[in-house]
Amino acid sequence: PLKNYTIDMFSPSIIKDDSKCIRCQRCVRTCAELQGVNALTVAYKGDKMKISTFFEKPMNDVVCTNCGQCIIHCPTGALIERNYIEEVWSAISDPTKHVIIQTAPAVRVGLGEEMGMEPGERVTGKMVAALKRLGFDSVLDTDFTADLTIVEEGNELLSRLKKALVDNNKDVKFPMLTSCSPGWIKYIEHLYPEYLGHLSTCKSPQQMFGSLAKTYYAKARNLDPSKIISVSIMPCTAKKFEAHRPEMHDSGYRDVDYVLTTRELAIMIKQAGLDFKELEPAKYDRLMGDSSGAGVIFGATGGVMEAALRTAYELITGRDVPFENLNIMPVRGVEGVRYASIKIEDPLKEWAFLDGVELKCAVAHGLVNAKQVMDDIKNGKSDFHFIEIMACPGGCLGGGGQPIPTNPEIRQKRTEAIYAEDADLPIRKSHMNPEIQKLYNDFLKEPLGELSHQLLHTTYTKRERY
Ligand code: SF4
Ligand code: SF4
């Protein structure tokens, strides 16, 4: 083992414990080759050799995106997520607190693996049952705010198109880039900060949920927002950093208090001694627990694009998107970068200026592919209107907080499970989710309205390149 080792605990997402490191360098290669980030390097030689960063700065102060792909590949746990299990147990056992939990789309197709089940098992109902047994006061769904993201982001895309094509506004940025993957956000902030204006201003579903939890939910349930503890279960380590961003306090409190990975939830279920496989499936609680199939597929690469097209096409034309069973196959798959286009024909009167326009879209997953997309934009070779980018290979279902191992075969099984979940849901389009309609009727009033801007949209920060 290394002498004089350090344990870097400055990052809210990742702990780097050199005492456990066997210097196999898998993390260095993962960061460089899979993600193209190069946050980790090898320093010194011989028995002093160690895995380091730029000038040995803490992980939190360098270009690291917190994607957690190095954690997935580290054989010893020298790289691991920052764990918030104790904090969550104490919140649950505090009778003065109302603890609510949101579950990301990809968790329900990964958690089973930690519980001894085969990859690709859908455990949505068992997971909800387990969370209720653990003592959460309300079990709600990030898929609900995934649907909300689509309504806000779809309207943002249409508003940008209108400004560009009708008002001839040259300041409007195209392509518009998705903003729900916090690893991707940190990547662009460090490496392509001159393109931050291309990002959708929509917060991620996790953060939209957080700001509504302590406003809309608190009001509807007659709760003091200062007594609400908002927890999320994510397939992602970058979500922990995202929840700590100083701007994520739009509710007047920290919008999301604690973020746990799929792996941490599995630990809690085991600590509580629950026989997961035998649990009777339960249903999400109401108000922010309903979702469409479009919300579920956010967990797979191409899913945000597909969900957005299902809604945007209908807003423009009043008709279903022209793909069999609403399945937009060209945006699905495993290619690192994929392309699709839809020609708009016979739009509603309000969108007449889009008649004949070919809406061009692209999808990229894994940051090495994000680099290709960004370099194309930089070199003037990108004529797309809308691009979805996810930091992790496969999208969230291959996230750095998912069960280990995660490999291409396992990702494929989880992908099939996500699309099966979508196909089984009675509502497949985000704007048709009745709880989303109620949210606009009772609280937000309209997409991109004043309250939406205050609670659901955000800004980005230019960061250093090292
Ligand atoms: S979390 Fe991602 S970006 Fe950071 S060191 Fe690990 S692989 Fe690289
Ligand atoms: S993958 Fe883990 S054990 Fe291997 S060099 Fe990196 S931190 Fe050390």
Side-chain angles (χ1 to χ4, degrees):
L2 265 177
K3 291 186 196 121
N4 303 323
Y5 60 82
T6 47
I7 303 178
D8 174 0
M9 296 182 66
F10 287 104
S11 160
S13 286
I14 293 179
I15 292 177
K16 179 168 163 290
D17 178 351
D18 290 344
S19 74
K20 295 185 181 148
C21 177
I22 57 168
R23 293 168 276 180
C24 67
Q25 302 184 35
R26 284 180 213 181
C27 54
V28 179
R29 286 203 307 277
T30 300
C31 191
E33 292 163 22
L34 190 72
Q35 296 297 65
V37 176
N38 293 298
L40 299 172
T41 54
V42 179
Y44 311 116
K45 286 188 178 156
D47 62 359
K48 288 208 175 70
M49 180 189 147
K50 62 181 280 194
I51 304 304
S52 191
T53 55
F54 180 78
F55 275 98
E56 299 198 35
K57 285 175 175 286
M59 297 271 280
N60 205 35
D61 294 351
V62 296
V63 68
C64 171
T65 65
N66 302 305
C67 72
Q69 288 301 316
C70 51
I71 296 176
I72 295 280
H73 290 87
C74 175
T76 65
L79 285 159
I80 197 164
E81 69 265 50
R82 175 96 173 253
N83 176 315
Y84 295 91
I85 294 175
E86 280 311 313
E87 288 85 341
V88 173
W89 278 131
S90 16
I92 289 175
S93 55
D94 181 344
T96 67
K97 298 283 193 261
H98 180 90
V99 189
I100 67 173
I101 184 123
Q102 53 164 316
T103 64
V107 178
R108 67 206 68 197
V109 297
L111 179 64
E113 292 161 41
E114 291 281 347
M115 297 294 142
M117 298 159 93
E118 288 300 311
E121 288 255 10
R122 292 153 58 192
V123 297
T124 315
K126 286 186 188 299
M127 173 181 70
V128 173
L131 291 167
K132 292 188 171 182
R133 293 276 195 94
L134 294 183
F136 289 97
D137 294 302
S138 195
V139 180
L140 301 165
D141 203 354
T142 318
D143 296 14
F144 164 79
T145 32
D147 279 335
L148 181 61
T149 302
I150 287 304
V151 174
E152 289 288 322
E153 198 163 349
N155 277 286
E156 183 184 358
L157 177 66
L158 294 181
S159 142
R160 285 195 194 201
L161 285 168
K162 200 171 199 171
K163 281 184 194 151
L165 299 175
V166 179
D167 309 339
N168 220 358
N169 184 336
K170 300 275 182 248
D171 294 334
V172 180
K173 304 281 190 246
F174 280 106
M176 187 171 99
L177 304 169
T178 57
S179 55
C180 34
S181 163
W184 149 241
I185 294 298
K186 192 145 182 286
Y187 176 86
I188 186 173
E189 288 180 331
H190 280 289
L191 295 171
Y192 295 89
E194 62 278 31
Y195 294 94
L196 292 178
H198 287 253
L199 285 172
S200 159
T201 59
C202 285
K203 285 181 184 173
S204 73
Q206 166 178 278
Q207 293 305 136
M208 284 197 183
F209 188 101
S211 51
L212 290 177
K214 296 187 183 182
T215 53
Y216 171 64
Y217 175 88
K219 203 168 152 200
R221 291 276 182 270
N222 204 14
L223 292 163
D224 173 355
S226 71
K227 301 277 189 270
I228 294 178
I229 299 290
S230 149
V231 182
S232 63
I233 306 287
M234 294 283 140
C236 178
T237 44
K239 290 277 172 203
K240 294 174 186 264
F241 174 87
E242 181 185 47
H244 275 78
R245 292 175 74 112
E247 62 271 27
M248 296 299 175
H249 284 74
D250 289 328
S251 63
Y253 306 87
R254 184 190 281 184
D255 296 332
V256 175
D257 293 288
Y258 303 112
V259 180
L260 305 176
T261 60
T262 308
R263 297 187 293 263
E264 287 170 87
L265 171 58
I267 292 171
M268 287 183 76
I269 293 171
K270 288 173 191 166
Q271 285 174 336
L274 298 182
D275 187 352
F276 187 79
K277 285 186 191 167
E278 297 306 317
L279 287 174
E280 206 48 52
K283 288 203 181 321
Y284 283 102
D285 292 313
R286 294 272 59 89
L287 200 65
M288 292 165 62
D290 215 355
S291 85
S292 74
V296 177
I297 57 175
F298 257 63
T301 166
V304 177
M305 180 60 68
E306 180 164 347
L309 291 176
R310 286 182 193 172
T311 285
Y313 191 88
E314 191 171 319
L315 288 180
I316 297 168
T317 65
R319 302 185 305 274
D320 274 348
V321 77
F323 288 87
E324 199 180 342
N325 295 328
L326 303 176
N327 296 334
I328 308 179
M329 298 313 283
V331 299
R332 299 187 185 182
V334 293
E335 278 295 303
V337 186
R338 305 186 294 284
Y339 309 95
S341 65
I342 297 187
K343 191 165 181 186
I344 303 201
E345 283 167 333
D346 199 14
L348 297 171
K349 212 163 142 204
E350 187 189 351
W351 305 106
F353 64 93
L354 289 173
D355 201 6
V357 168
E358 193 157 333
L359 203 56
K360 292 187 173 178
C361 308
V363 169
H365 60 126
L367 290 172
V368 93
N369 297 310
K371 180 177 188 324
Q372 183 193 322
V373 166
M374 292 313 295
D375 287 342
D376 282 350
I377 295 176
K378 209 168 179 171
N379 298 327
K381 289 199 288 189
S382 180
D383 62 348
F384 296 101
H385 296 103
F386 191 28
I387 303 182
E388 174 202 298
I389 302 184
M390 293 289 160
C392 290
C396 313
L397 56 85
Q402 286 286 68
I404 298 171
T406 287
N407 57 39
E409 294 74 41
I410 291 175
R411 285 201 298 262
Q412 182 56 33
K413 296 252 168 60
R414 294 180 194 155
T415 305
E416 287 161 14
I418 281 235
Y419 286 114
E421 192 96 351
D422 165 38
D424 279 358
L425 281 168
I427 295 172
R428 312 267 315 285
K429 295 175 282 192
S430 297
H431 59 286
M432 301 301 283
N433 177 342
E435 287 190 343
I436 292 292
Q437 294 171 345
K438 180 175 164 56
L439 170 69
Y440 279 109
N441 280 337
D442 296 357
F443 187 67
L444 294 173
K445 302 305 173 200
E446 55 171 349
L448 306 183
E450 205 184 316
L451 254 188
S452 288
H453 273 293
Q454 190 191 321
L455 295 174
L456 309 180
H457 291 257
T458 189
T459 53
Y460 305 102
T461 310
K462 181 181 188 306
R463 295 174 197 272
E464 299 295 343
R465 292 187 63 85
Y466 49 76

